[in-house]
């Protein structure tokens, strides 16, 4: 039995790249998929592939940055397939620039597509699931968010993207803590895979190129899709509030911010004394991973 039989998912940005891979893998596991993308032609190609392979899928062109438009994605899922169980927030863009040169428009675009884009459809879906729960119906729902190593540890030349992806990781923790009472889990994944965004730089395109032989395709986006499909399945209902990394055949759990034991004077530190505390704190510190590109 396929692990997503009878379940319905909205996958954003599913007209290409990781989103298209997720849509195909979800459909192959029995999921009915709403392929959301502002590029209708690209979304239709993915839907046609899924249907030709015997799966269920429809196109949705809701603008994930527009709250009213996003409601149509949830409506289309319920109208077409009778229910909704999964929102997979995948859509994204890049506007890379060193911070000193970044424009307001480049900042705002990333915040709209990534951070607000992770809010809009999820908000409408949560309203639907909360209503179901309050009506006494069993809910087994999933929010799956897409963060990035850039958001977990920073990335030179991507301060807008890093800030948005860090926000998504924190959003995931809040969603998990608040929504479990309604039968909703929330997890995030930081993927590393071959997509149009990651191969835009020639060096990355060469590094992530598909092997010419039949060996394991380390950077294939479907490698990430397998983890997401499992997180979307009924089997994962006990897993929430986690941030995972997926690269090749490796799956990791990200260990987030934690308070250390600290240095406690038991009284107010005089400004001149703080240096002593800082020396002790830094001696005890476990260094963070380096910022990408540094």
């Amino acid at each position: 039995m396929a692990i997503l039989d009878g379940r319905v998912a909205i996958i954003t940005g599913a007209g290409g790249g990781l989103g298209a891979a997720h849509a195909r893998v979800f459909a192959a596991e029995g999921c009915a998929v709403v392929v959301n993308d502002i590029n209708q032609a690209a979304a239709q190609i993915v839907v046609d592939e899924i249907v030709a392979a015997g799966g269920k899928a429809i196109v949705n062109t809701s603008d994930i940055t527009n709250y009213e438009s996003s409601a149509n994605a949830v409506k289309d899922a319920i109208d077409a397939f009778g229910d909704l169980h999964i929102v997979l927030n995948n859509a994204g863009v890049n506007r890379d620039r060193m911070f000193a040169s970044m424009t307001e428009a480049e900042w705002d675009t990333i915040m709209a597509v990534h951070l607000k884009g992770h809010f809009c459809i999820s908000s409408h879906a949560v309203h639907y699931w909360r209503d179901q729960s309050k009506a006494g119906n069993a809910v087994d729902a999933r929010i799956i968010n897409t963060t990035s190593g850039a958001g977990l540890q920073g990335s030179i030349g991507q301060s807008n993207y890093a800030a948005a992806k860090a926000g998504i990781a924190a959003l995931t923790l809040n969603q998990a803590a608040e929504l479990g009472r309604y039968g909703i889990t929330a997890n995030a994944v930081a993927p590393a895979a071959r997509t149009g965004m990651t191969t835009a730089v020639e060096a990355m395109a060469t590094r992530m190129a598909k092997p010419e032989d039949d060996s394991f395709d380390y950077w294939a986006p479907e490698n990430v899709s397998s983890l997401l499909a499992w997180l979307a399945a009924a089997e994962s209902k006990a897993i929430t509030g986690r941030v995972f990394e997926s690269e090749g055949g490796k799956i990791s759990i990200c260990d987030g911010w934690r308070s250390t034991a600290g240095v406690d004077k038991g009284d107010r530190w005089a400004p001149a004394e703080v240096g002593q505390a800082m020396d002790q704190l830094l001696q005890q510190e476990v260094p963070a991973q380096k910022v990408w590109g540094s």
Side-chain angles (χ1 to χ4, degrees), residues 14-157:
L18 275 167
H22 300 338
R24 288 190 291 263
V25 170
F26 274 48
E29 290 295 332
C31 193
V33 181
V34 177
V35 177
N36 165 267
D37 204 289
I38 56 173
N39 185 331
Q40 184 171 0
Q44 189 63 58
I45 290 171
V46 176
V47 167
D48 290 345
E49 291 174 353
I50 290 171
V51 173
K56 299 177 181 178
I58 61 168
V59 170
N60 170 268
T61 57
S62 289
D63 177 357
I64 64 168
T65 71
N66 181 287
Y67 193 73
E68 291 183 1
S69 178
S70 292
N72 292 324
V74 174
K75 182 178 184 299
D76 286 355
I78 297 167
D79 288 348
F81 303 119
D83 208 344
L84 175 65
H85 307 94
I86 305 138
V87 173
L88 198 175
N89 292 302
N90 163 81
V93 295
N94 277 345
R95 295 291 186 273
D96 294 352
R97 188 87 62 187
M98 297 298 280
F99 184 81
S101 302
M102 185 167 293
T103 67
E104 182 182 11
E106 289 165 342
W107 179 271
D108 288 347
T109 294
I110 294 301
M111 293 303 150
V113 174
H114 289 274
L115 204 47
K116 187 177 181 182
H118 270 61
F119 166 74
C120 289
I121 290 178
S122 296
S123 174
H124 292 294
V126 165
H127 294 165
Y128 169 71
W129 292 326
R130 182 180 60 183
D131 289 345
Q132 292 289 309
S133 177
K134 288 184 174 181
N137 300 320
V139 174
D140 187 21
R142 306 283 182 271
I143 296 173
I144 305 175
N145 295 326
T146 304
T147 185
S148 167
L152 303 176
Q153 62 202 68
S155 178
I156 298 294

Side-chain angles (χ1 to χ4, degrees), residues 24 51 59 87 142 160 195 198 215 233 242 244 259 261 267 285:
R24 288 190 291 263
V51 173
V59 170
V87 173
R142 306 283 182 271
N160 50 358
T195 70
T198 57
S215 60
R242 303 298 203 287
F244 297 92
S259 297
D267 199 352
E285 177 192 34

Side-chain angles (χ1 to χ4, degrees), residues 151-258:
L152 303 176
Q153 62 202 68
S155 178
I156 298 294
Q158 292 190 306
S159 56
N160 50 358
Y161 182 78
K165 289 301 191 183
I168 288 167
L171 171 65
T172 303
L173 303 184
N174 262 56
Q175 288 173 327
E178 295 177 10
L179 302 177
R181 71 189 75 178
Y182 305 120
I184 306 165
T185 70
N187 294 286
V189 175
R194 183 176 57 249
T195 70
M197 286 172 60
T198 57
T199 59
V201 178
E202 184 176 353
M204 290 297 288
T206 300
R207 180 187 175 207
M208 291 184 163
K210 187 175 181 178
E212 296 180 1
D213 55 21
D214 292 330
S215 60
F216 174 53
D217 186 358
Y218 186 89
W219 298 109
E222 291 78 10
N223 298 334
V224 178
S225 305
S226 294
L227 169 60
L228 299 186
W230 186 85
L231 288 173
E235 185 180 352
S236 73
K237 69 185 305 179
I239 308 299
T240 194
R242 303 298 203 287
V243 177
F244 297 92
E245 289 185 282
S246 177
E247 177 182 313
K250 181 181 179 182
I251 299 171
S252 308
I253 294 179
C254 301
D255 193 9
W257 293 102
R258 296 177 183 275

Side-chain angles (χ1 to χ4, degrees), residues 263 265 267-282:
V263 179
K265 180 183 176 182
D267 199 352
R268 179 192 169 201
W269 293 91
E273 296 177 317
V274 173
Q276 303 170 222
M278 191 61 61
D279 288 342
Q280 190 172 341
L281 285 170
L282 293 176

